[in-house]
């Protein structure tokens, strides 16, 4: 039986997104402004994370300044 790339990658992506959602990592740690799901929930688009959610997560990361924390640890 031949497997196409999508039949192999679909379960992998489902598992990855479910793990990220469960532990609220990455973009799943913020609410989605596009489909309005809360943090820790999958976007309504199947096997996708909306661009707006990724942008909110990246903006949140930019607010964290690690340099002062690293300087304080030294």
């Amino acid at each position: 039986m031949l497997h196409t790339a999508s039949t192999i990658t679909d379960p992998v992506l489902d598992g990855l997104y479910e793990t990220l959602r469960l532990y609220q990592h990455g973009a799943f740690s913020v609410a989605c402004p596009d489909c309005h799901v809360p943090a820790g929930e999958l976007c309504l688009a199947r096997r996708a994370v909306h661009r707006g959610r990724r942008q909110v997560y990246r903006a949140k990361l930019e607010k964290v300044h690690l340099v002062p924390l690293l300087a304080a640890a030294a």
Side-chain angles (χ1 to χ4, degrees):
M1 174 182 228
L2 293 174
H3 292 283
T4 63
S6 66
T7 58
I8 294 170
T9 57
D10 283 351
V12 173
L13 284 176
D14 287 344
L16 173 66
Y17 284 166
E18 182 60 25
T19 301
L20 292 173
R21 180 204 67 80
L22 181 64
Y23 295 104
Q24 295 188 12
H25 284 288
F28 296 105
S29 66
V30 296
C32 182
D34 295 336
C35 59
H36 308 290
V37 295
E41 294 296 323
L42 296 173
C43 282
L44 299 179
R46 187 171 183 261
R47 291 192 180 94
V49 178
H50 286 119
R51 178 178 290 156
R53 191 176 211 175
R54 291 187 193 276
Q55 290 173 341
V56 170
Y57 173 66
R58 288 182 186 127
K60 181 181 165 185
L61 284 181
E62 288 177 0
K63 292 179 183 177
V64 177
H65 299 287
L66 294 179
V67 175
L69 295 175
L70 293 175

